[in-house]
Amino acid sequence: MKRVTIYDVAKEAGVSLATVSRVINDSTVVKSATKQKVEDAIMRLGYKPNAIAQGLALQKTTMIGLIVPDTSFSYTGQIINGLLDVSKIYNYSVVLHTITEGISDVDKIIDVIIKSRVDGVIIYSDKIRSEEINLLSDYNIPIVVIGNKISASRICSVYVDFENAIYELTNSYLKKGKKDIVILEDRKNRSTSKQLVNGAEKAFAENGLTFNGFVSIPKEERSSYRFLSHYFKDHKHELVIVNRDSQAFAALNAARENGISVPEEMELVCVIDTKYNSMVRPMISAYTIPSYDLGAVGMRLMTKMLENGSVDDKEKCLTYLFVERQTTLKD
């Protein structure tokens, strides 16, 4: 008699593999009606949940699944280049999965990854929650997370300490007596936005102050530029911090259109530097991030996990360098 698998349960219940796994692990995020459908399917088929991870890693495929966002592609492209170069050295193939907000279903991507039986998964995306990461880990799939500090028995990470970068930057401005500092929300990279805010909050707290400078973009606004065009009519800050180059361009144009001179009246810093930041005028001060190395080190961590089963140093922090250009004032 054929052994009933989790795939059979998912098909019978009309749900994803991820949903079946959540029900089996008693997750609270599954709707009661969906949970009942899955439990009914398990009963009808006689599925044994303790077999959830059996047979998923019986053979090596020499394939690595890569999950990336569809934004900031010049930066993401360098990460991918570094990753691919190292994968070739160790004879691994990389299967790319992109997440597009409102289009891509994370559960479906996870289903595809599990069914493809990849040897490991590398994730560079704010759209993947810790719950999905843990779900993949439940299948004994080694995972490397790029961009966020996280580690577990089969999870490693490589990242840049953006929180510390913004802590240092904010602290230096506070020491100069400049307290009107704001951080613009990046809706496409919420985890990074949180890191930036944490860094600013730490600097303010150490100076006996409270940071209240997080500028959120209303849901109805479709772009940073449209929001800032209206926002700068009534607001002008000593320092504006943004995450991506496109937001920096939006801030420059919106400030200019509202008669705000950069950097004389308002300074601007972009966290993630790209080649475009030095093409505009004024050139934008930013942080040089070793994006190629993020990919290369991430892939090397993956090969070590696959070769040895574990890695001693599970969290790799790479360095950054502040490049002062024309949107910040010289001391």
Side-chain angles (χ1 to χ4, degrees):
M1 182 177 179
K2 178 186 175 184
R3 182 173 65 86
V4 178
T5 69
I6 190 174
Y7 307 110
D8 299 320
V9 175
K11 183 177 180 180
E12 177 75 11
V15 299
S16 67
L17 292 175
T19 299
V20 175
S21 183
R22 290 188 181 110
V23 172
I24 292 169
N25 289 292
D26 201 26
S27 172
T28 58
V29 301
V30 182
K31 294 180 180 179
S32 57
T34 303
K35 183 177 181 181
Q36 189 61 53
K37 283 201 306 182
V38 174
E39 290 176 343
D40 289 345
I42 288 173
M43 289 293 293
R44 286 195 301 272
L45 298 175
Y47 175 64
K48 304 298 183 184
N50 61 355
I52 188 171
Q54 291 181 357
L56 289 179
L58 293 178
Q59 289 184 320
K60 289 191 67 175
T61 63
T62 67
M63 289 195 304
I64 304 297
L66 172 63
I67 303 176
V68 299
D70 65 342
T71 56
S72 304
F73 199 77
S74 63
Y75 173 67
T76 306
Q78 288 299 310
I79 292 176
I80 294 174
N81 287 341
L83 191 150
L84 290 176
D85 285 349
V86 174
S87 71
K88 292 173 185 175
I89 294 173
Y90 292 92
N91 297 315
Y92 281 96
S93 300
V94 176
V95 182
L96 179 65
H97 303 272
T98 59
I99 295 180
T100 304
E101 191 169 7
I103 298 176
S104 303
D105 187 324
V106 173
D107 278 2
K108 289 182 179 178
I109 289 176
I110 291 176
D111 282 356
V112 170
I113 287 173
I114 293 171
K115 289 177 180 177
S116 65
R117 301 193 178 190
V118 295
D119 292 332
V121 177
I122 298 177
I123 300 171
Y124 170 59
S125 176
D126 268 2
K127 302 297 186 298
I128 298 288
R129 303 181 306 236
S130 58
E131 182 183 330
E132 278 92 15
I133 293 174
N134 291 331
L135 174 61
L136 286 168
S137 183
D138 286 343
Y139 283 86
N140 292 323
I141 299 175
I143 297 168
V144 173
V145 177
I146 294 178
N148 291 318
K149 182 180 179 181
I150 179 175
S151 62
S153 60
R154 296 183 67 82
I155 302 175
C156 294
S157 59
V158 54
Y159 64 97
V160 172
D161 196 344
F162 292 122
E163 180 176 326
N164 190 65
I166 298 308
Y167 161 75
E168 293 175 342
L169 178 70
T170 303
N171 197 45
S172 68
Y173 273 77
L174 292 175
K175 297 300 183 186
K176 293 185 287 187
K178 296 185 177 183
K179 304 174 183 178
D180 187 5
I181 300 169
V182 299
I183 295 172
L184 181 66
E185 177 185 19
D186 184 354
R187 293 186 300 201
K188 295 182 182 294
N189 297 277
R190 298 186 188 279
S191 177
T192 304
S193 287
K194 179 60 177 173
Q195 292 176 55
L196 307 187
V197 171
N198 288 344
E201 287 178 340
K202 180 181 177 182
F204 268 70
E206 287 188 4
N207 286 273
L209 302 167
T210 301
F211 178 70
N212 296 309
F214 181 65
V215 178
S216 60
I217 302 175
K219 291 182 179 179
E220 61 270 17
E221 290 288 356
R222 300 189 63 181
S223 71
S224 300
Y225 169 71
R226 287 185 56 180
F227 168 72
L228 291 172
S229 293
H230 298 290
Y231 179 82
F232 284 150
K233 291 182 185 296
D234 304 308
H235 301 82
K236 181 172 65 176
H237 305 284
E238 291 177 302
L239 173 64
V240 174
I241 301 171
V242 301
N243 185 41
R244 290 178 286 116
D245 54 9
S246 60
Q247 290 187 309
F249 306 154
L252 271 181
N253 290 332
R256 184 181 299 114
E257 291 164 7
N258 282 283
I260 301 173
S261 177
V262 178
E264 291 78 13
E265 297 179 277
M266 184 175 76
E267 296 183 68
L268 174 67
V269 169
C270 178
V271 175
I272 299 176
D273 197 16
T274 67
K275 61 183 180 181
Y276 303 109
N277 284 334
S278 59
M279 293 182 183
V280 297
R281 297 295 181 272
M283 293 185 286
I284 300 167
S285 298
Y287 286 90
T288 296
I289 307 298
S291 50
Y292 179 91
D293 292 344
L294 282 170
V297 173
M299 188 65 203
R300 185 62 184 120
L301 280 173
M302 175 58 69
T303 61
K304 286 183 177 180
M305 281 198 291
L306 294 172
E307 292 167 0
N308 307 320
S310 64
V311 177
D312 292 332
D313 189 2
K314 295 180 180 296
E315 298 174 352
K316 293 284 189 180
C317 183
L318 303 189
T319 59
Y320 53 81
L321 176 66
F322 183 64
V323 180
E324 190 169 28
R325 296 192 180 103
Q326 298 170 335
T327 59
T328 49
L329 295 169
K330 305 289 184 182
D331 290 335

